[in-house]
Amino acid sequence: MTTTQARTEPEHAQGTDPHAGHAPAGHHGPHGYSAQKDAHLKRLRRIEGQIRGLQRMVDEDVYCIDVLTQVSASTKALQSFALSLLEEHLRHCVAAAAEEGGTELDAKVAEATAAISRLLRS
């Protein structure tokens, strides 16, 4: 476990349910992204490096257009990550709710729609 995980996810260290208190009612078992967790973390670390690069660029007074180009690349990387996560959510969480049907499906579709709406506004 990393220092960050210990700080932000104390329930792992205590041996309690890692999903307790983190997801709305009705979320059980691993999340849709769990199978790709290592790849996602690697991708996020790469994006984090891009953001740190932006900080260095500003600190070093790099030409503003060059900084904006890096902002654009970082933004696209985050959007791509978000779309990948959304696809996994649809395939795993929404598909599982579709099997259950009823209000669970309606709730998952509404939840996914709200997430898509937030992504479109960003």
Side-chain angles (χ1 to χ4, degrees), residues 1-12 22:
M1 178 182 328
T2 66
T3 305
T4 303
Q5 287 172 321
R7 251 195 333 265
T8 60
E9 300 174 4
E11 62 273 13
H12 287 282
H22 291 285

Side-chain angles (χ1 to χ4, degrees), residues 2 9 16 20 24 30-31 34 40 43 47-48 57 61-64 71 78 91 97 101 103 106 108 113:
T2 66
E9 300 174 4
T16 59
H31 296 292
S34 295
H40 287 317
R43 193 171 189 182
I47 294 168
E48 179 183 22
M57 291 173 83
D61 294 317
V62 172
Y63 183 57
C64 51
V71 167
L78 271 174
R91 289 183 188 278
T103 59
D106 293 340
K108 291 293 180 192
T113 301

Side-chain angles (χ1 to χ4, degrees):
M1 178 182 328
T2 66
T3 305
T4 303
Q5 287 172 321
R7 251 195 333 265
T8 60
E9 300 174 4
E11 62 273 13
H12 287 282
Q14 298 169 1
T16 59
D17 179 6
H19 301 295
H22 291 285
H27 290 236
H28 301 288
H31 296 292
Y33 62 83
S34 295
Q36 300 296 319
K37 188 173 183 177
D38 289 339
H40 287 317
L41 289 171
K42 182 178 179 181
R43 193 171 189 182
L44 287 169
R45 282 191 281 279
R46 196 171 328 130
I47 294 168
E48 179 183 22
Q50 287 180 296
I51 302 305
R52 289 181 192 274
L54 277 165
Q55 292 171 339
R56 279 190 300 276
M57 291 173 83
V58 170
D59 186 48
E60 296 168 3
D61 294 317
V62 172
Y63 183 57
C64 51
I65 296 301
D66 294 337
V67 176
L68 288 169
T69 298
Q70 183 63 27
V71 167
S72 178
S74 300
T75 299
K76 287 181 182 178
L78 271 174
Q79 288 171 338
S80 177
F81 172 75
L83 287 174
S84 174
L85 203 59
L86 177 61
E87 179 181 3
E88 290 171 352
H89 176 71
L90 293 172
R91 289 183 188 278
H92 180 267
C93 301
V94 176
E99 289 178 9
E100 292 180 30
T103 59
E104 181 69 16
L105 175 58
D106 293 340
K108 291 293 180 192
V109 169
E111 182 181 59
T113 301
I116 293 166
S117 178
R118 287 190 301 273
L119 287 173
L120 290 174
R121 286 193 303 256
S122 61

